[in-house]
């Protein structure tokens, strides 16, 4: 596809379904999909006032082994009807959400400045039923879980290595459990519900990070922050910042991601402070 990932048949089908539904909805003017090299400009007779960026099937490398996959999207208001409408700060994202496809199909979304709400598909009536109200990270930090691809450990900067070692060795004498699905939707959904932290930092191998800013980083950051969590870039481009404040410079650009509750992101921040990096 446009970002160099292997494309599965289900990737193509889900992308076609998303584009067809959004183009014919009458409310979209510009679409960006992970599967398409170029943005899609909706014909004038069907164009509306919103612009949508989406990953139609996140985690599709897991399809053949029947592991959870999902869909992620971010929505912006139309300005001039060009791709520039989506190359704006994450602070201007007005709606973000994801669908998780597993033992149940769940839709989680939020509007800018609002609560995070969850819905579950009831296949007997073909409707999404409101099942999770005002979703929040557990007040005490929740389960002690860290989630990252430790195969990249050798490439990480020292504070990230130190933080992961701290999780493994135990904070207050209690070691964390490791959980990593490899589908961002599944890992973020668990982190939001159970607590813990999800880490995909910039490193020597991927200095700009690995995940896509426009349709993975920014929408998940909006959800995480509005559920009471922290969505940080870690140390990126000379400073530690918020993912939600990034401005994509291209539709498929990448960004680093550290997302979780304040208790666990605080461990990483402490490691940065020890290294002399201001958080």
């Amino acid at each position: 596809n446009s970002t160099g990932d292997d494309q599965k048949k289900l990737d193509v089908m889900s992308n076609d379904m998303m584009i067809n539904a959004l183009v014919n909805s009458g409310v979209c003017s510009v679409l960006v999909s992970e599967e398409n090299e170029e943005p899609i400009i909706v014909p004038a007779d069907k164009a509306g006032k919103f612009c949508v960026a989406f990953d139609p099937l996140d985690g599709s490398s897991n399809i053949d082994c029947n592991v959870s996959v999902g869909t992620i999207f971010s929505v912006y208001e139309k300005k001039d009807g060009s791709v520039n409408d989506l190359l704006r700060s994450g602070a201007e994202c007005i709606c973000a959400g994801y669908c998780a496809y597993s033992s149940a199909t769940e839709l989680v979304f939020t509007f800018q400045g609002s609560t995070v709400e969850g819905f579950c598909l009831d296949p007997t009536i073909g409707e999404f039923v409101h099942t999770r109200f005002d979703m929040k990270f557990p007040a005490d930090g929740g389960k002690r879980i860290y989630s990252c691809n430790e195969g990249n450990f050798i490439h990480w900067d020292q504070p990230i290595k130190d933080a992961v070692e701290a999780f493994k060795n135990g904070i207050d004498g209690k070691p964390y459990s490791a959980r990593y699905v490899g589908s961002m939707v599944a890992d973020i959904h668990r982190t939001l519900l159970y607590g813990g932290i999800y880490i995909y930092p910039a490193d020597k191998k991927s200095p700009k990070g690995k995940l896509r800013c426009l349709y993975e980083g920014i929408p998940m950051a909006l959800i995480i922050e509005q559920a009471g969590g922290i969505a940080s870039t870690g140390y990126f481009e000379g400073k530690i910042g918020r993912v939600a404040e990034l401005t994509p410079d291209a539709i498929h650009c990448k960004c680093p991601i550290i997302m979780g509750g304040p208790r666990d992101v605080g461990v990483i921040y402490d490691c940065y402070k020890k290294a002399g990096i201001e958080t």
Side-chain angles (χ1 to χ4, degrees):
N1 64 12
S2 64
T3 56
D5 296 330
D6 288 339
Q7 208 171 34
K8 306 281 187 183
K9 189 173 181 181
L10 209 55
D11 278 314
V12 177
M13 289 174 62
S14 56
N15 190 46
D16 289 346
M17 289 176 192
M18 289 280 290
I19 292 170
N20 186 50
L22 291 170
V23 166
N24 291 297
S25 68
V27 298
C28 300
S29 63
V30 183
L31 307 176
V32 163
S33 168
E34 183 184 27
E35 303 302 324
N36 289 62
E37 192 81 43
E38 299 295 330
I40 298 156
I41 307 299
V42 177
D45 61 324
K46 294 181 178 179
K49 63 177 184 177
F50 298 107
C51 305
V52 183
F54 57 92
D55 183 349
L57 202 64
D58 174 70
S60 57
S61 62
N62 282 323
I63 288 171
D64 290 342
C65 59
N66 205 25
V67 170
S68 303
V69 291
T71 297
I72 315 171
F73 61 88
S74 60
V75 183
Y76 291 76
E77 280 192 283
K78 173 184 173 183
K79 283 196 171 178
D80 61 12
S82 75
V83 69
N84 292 329
D85 288 352
L86 284 160
L87 298 180
R88 288 147 65 187
S89 166
E92 295 185 56
C93 178
I94 60 169
C95 177
Y98 63 82
C99 262
Y101 312 120
S102 185
S103 50
T105 297
E106 289 199 63
L107 168 65
V108 174
F109 70 85
T110 188
F111 294 102
Q112 181 71 255
S114 187
T115 55
V116 179
E117 305 294 331
F119 300 78
C120 187
L121 179 64
D122 183 340
T124 61
I125 59 173
E127 297 285 352
F128 279 92
V129 179
H130 197 180
T131 50
R132 300 188 191 275
F133 300 83
D134 192 8
M135 297 170 69
K136 294 285 186 191
F137 269 88
D140 63 353
K143 294 186 178 181
R144 292 170 178 259
I145 296 171
Y146 75 97
S147 181
C148 58
N149 182 354
E150 286 199 71
N152 291 325
F153 187 91
I154 192 173
H155 304 295
W156 293 341
D157 61 31
Q158 195 58 45
I160 296 291
K161 288 180 179 178
D162 292 344
V164 170
E165 285 298 327
F167 292 136
K168 290 159 76 168
N169 293 325
I171 311 288
D172 302 327
K174 297 176 183 175
Y176 280 48
S177 297
R179 298 283 185 273
Y180 185 69
V181 178
S183 292
M184 186 190 189
V185 168
D187 284 314
I188 290 289
H189 192 54
R190 181 199 59 248
T191 303
L192 179 56
L193 294 178
Y194 290 177
I197 187 167
Y198 175 78
I199 309 164
Y200 215 125
D203 58 29
K204 295 185 187 77
K205 188 174 73 171
S206 304
K208 289 188 176 294
K210 184 78 185 296
L211 299 169
R212 317 298 161 180
C213 187
L214 191 53
Y215 40 80
E216 291 177 323
I218 287 171
M220 288 304 198
L222 185 60
I223 291 167
I224 291 291
E225 288 190 349
Q226 296 196 160
I230 296 172
S232 173
T233 60
Y235 188 68
F236 180 53
E237 297 182 339
K239 65 181 187 350
I240 290 173
R242 291 170 58 223
V243 175
E245 289 180 339
L246 293 175
T247 300
D249 57 8
I251 60 175
H252 299 299
C253 71
K254 300 174 182 179
C255 71
I257 283 171
I258 297 168
M259 296 184 178
R263 178 194 69 192
D264 300 323
V265 177
V267 173
I268 289 183
Y269 281 177
D270 287 344
C271 290
Y272 276 122
K273 285 173 186 170
K274 285 174 187 170
I277 298 167
E278 234 355 274
T279 59

